[in-house]
Amino acid sequence: MTIYYATIKHHSIGQAPVIKIEGTLRQAKRTATERFGDGYLEHEIIITGEDGDWVARRLIEDDRWTNRREDDPLIHRVGRALYGTEWQSDMARDLNINLRTIQRYAAGTTPPPAGVMSDLSGIIEDRIEVLGHLAEDIQPSKAD
């Protein structure tokens, strides 16, 4: 029997409840929807495997689940790489875009325009430069 963990994510939640679910992914989705599906508009349900990697996710107001990391849209992969698992609010802030707009990009209901992707590319390039300098700065301390 497979073990899954389900939680709910939103910028307003500091520490979200996590429920353990044993069974199939379909059962995990059903249980998570029953537990988190009411009264949480603009929240996201995340189901992870035992390794902590997400296996399914969906915005509560959407009926559609996104499965597995390899099916994850580019905006999700960029968001996690730049900001971690709670990426939507930070991305909205850095791009000066309404959070709900970012959530629509994440849900796939609205594709991010080329300008947004270009801005994200610039942020990535800036991070690469900063991280490169930091790597150089810590090189001498590796010898210690």
Side-chain angles (χ1 to χ4, degrees):
M1 190 162 291
T2 306
I3 296 174
Y4 296 100
Y5 297 92
T7 190
I8 189 166
K9 301 287 183 177
H10 190 263
H11 66 89
S12 66
I13 300 174
Q15 186 145 6
V18 176
I19 56 173
K20 181 180 177 180
I21 305 162
E22 294 184 27
T24 65
L25 181 56
R26 176 174 281 171
Q27 290 168 325
K29 288 177 181 179
R30 187 178 312 115
T31 301
T33 299
E34 289 169 1
R35 171 63 172 85
F36 299 119
D38 291 328
Y40 294 103
L41 292 179
E42 298 184 4
H43 290 62
E44 184 176 34
I45 299 172
I46 309 286
I47 298 175
T48 61
E50 290 184 271
D51 61 0
D53 250 357
W54 77 272
V55 294
R57 64 188 329 140
R58 71 166 233 204
L59 286 176
I60 289 178
E61 60 264 24
D62 294 339
D63 291 330
R64 186 183 91 221
W65 286 88
T66 299
N67 295 328
R68 297 182 312 263
R69 239 177 224 274
E70 57 269 18
D71 295 337
D72 207 9
L74 178 60
I75 193 82
H76 285 254
R77 291 180 284 150
V78 169
R80 277 194 316 273
L82 286 171
Y83 306 105
T85 57
E86 303 296 321
W87 59 271
Q88 293 179 3
S89 295
D90 291 335
M91 182 183 286
R93 181 198 63 233
D94 284 357
L95 295 174
N96 198 27
I97 293 175
N98 183 286
L99 174 61
R100 185 65 188 119
T101 301
I102 295 293
Q103 290 170 334
R104 283 193 294 273
Y105 297 161
T109 57
T110 304
V116 166
M117 298 311 285
S118 177
D119 289 347
L120 288 170
S121 180
I123 292 170
I124 291 169
E125 290 173 10
D126 290 346
R127 291 271 178 94
I128 289 170
E129 182 178 348
V130 168
L131 291 171
H133 291 302
L134 286 172
E136 291 169 6
D137 290 347
I138 64 172
Q139 286 297 329
S141 57
K142 281 185 177 181
D144 293 342

